[in-house]
Amino acid sequence: MSLLIKNGTIVTAVDEYQADILVEGEQITTIGKNLDYKAAEIVDAKGMYVLPGGVDQHTHFSFKYGDAVVRGFETSNAAAVGGTTTCIEFINQLTGKSITESVRKFEQEKVSGIAMVDYSFHGVVTDPTDELFEEIPTLPKQGIPTIKLFMAYKGACYHSDDSAIFRALQASKDAGVTIMVHAENADLIDVLQKQCLAAGKTAPMYHAVSRPPLVEVEATQRAIYLAELAEAPLYVVHVTTKESMEVVRNSYIKGVPVYGETCTHYLTLGKENLSKPDFEGAKYVCSPALRTPEHHEALWEALRKGWLNAVSSDHCGFDWKEHKHMGFDDFTQIPNGAPGIENRLGVLWTAGVETGKISRQKLVDVFATTPAKINGLSDRKGHIGVGYDADIVLFDPKWRGTISAKTSLQGVDYNAYEGMEQSGRADKVFLRGKLIVDEGKFIGQKGQGQFIKGKPFGLCYEGLK
Ligand code: DUC
Ligand code: ZN
Ligand code: ZN
């Protein structure tokens, strides 16, 4: 099967040019001007930007908060219509089991035969035994070169203390496994939460009051000290404050191999949303908490200047009625997280490219190219180039629409960006050469997504050293 995409403007992380793309089978085989090839299918991409399919390196299709469980991979068609063709899912280690067993079990039961985009995994440490630290160097053989540890969430199974993080860093470095941290000080949050509740402060906005910027800054700096001591690289997920971004940036400048991402909502949504009446504020309970415009601006600057290198969705599909209301009388019981995999590209384009905060090339860089590299997928994903998987988005910059849960595939009863006027959208999306989105509508099939093995040393490539 061959496909010729003609007349589009190809955007990569470093340049932009007009050319045609020939796809044979699942890969891009030729890129050139005025390609004259009798392909089985010819698509005219005039007026479209041709982008690599997005790589969302931070998704939760399997997260649990108390008894609440998020929407799973049966809603991963939402990724496709949002221009994301690969997502990397966090899988909790099952107690008493290895990360490998936990990931495989989850894949067999909840992903394989269901996922509608390609996928890879990060293990999440919940049971930091000697066996776990021995397993870490073997993970790349399983195609899992990344592990996350949560510094937040005191009392939860997935909380890790400093000794677990330090030992994981030591165990990871020679094998090229990247340690990722969710950096917030769990003890301070615990004290602040208890003080709020004791004072009768139970509403959603106290989620932000009990997770102020400094709890993130402190944990970010602490994690970096641990990495420095272990002489291991570190990746800080969802950096949300100016000061924690500066800690990452300054440590990197000092020579510590530390890198960080931010997320779509930390660039665009303010903490005032948590004060919306009638418990609507609960829709915006995610951790770390939403911040103020001063932080948003600092994060945009950090993306422009390369101080942070990816934008993820942190997609977490809890319902408002069914799940968020569990914390109606106590904000600490509101499941943390917001959906957003469908909106990452549209919001980044609208709030980033259209406003001049980032260039189109920077969008491609933080949306696809660098997330693919960090996670060891860059031999196949995240770039429009010969030999790459034909994961291709034809982006229509002229399209206009309004974001709403009513038209969303995320399977959640609200959308954090409800009412936002969106500029541009993924008009057509190809997954390994197959058309899965046409005129913005999902036309693919359940189970078409494949596991993509990650390779080790994702952080150690030229330009990210
Ligand atoms: N924060 C969230 O908001 N959701 C999922 C996990 C997390 O740490
Ligand atoms: Zn997190
Ligand atoms: Zn997360």
Side-chain angles (χ1 to χ4, degrees), residues 58-60 63 90 148 150 182 237-238 261 263 287 314-316:
H58 189 151
T59 68
H60 299 282
F63 194 64
F90 289 99
K148 180 160 94 168
F150 280 93
H182 170 140
V237 301
H238 49 43
E261 68 168 13
C263 303
S287 291
D314 202 352
H315 176 79
C316 198

Side-chain angles (χ1 to χ4, degrees), residues 120-121 139-140 143-147 176-179 375-376 454-457:
S120 198
F121 299 110
L139 286 172
I144 309 166
T146 46
I147 295 183
V177 172
T178 294
I179 297 297
N375 297 283
K455 297 199 168 55
F457 295 106

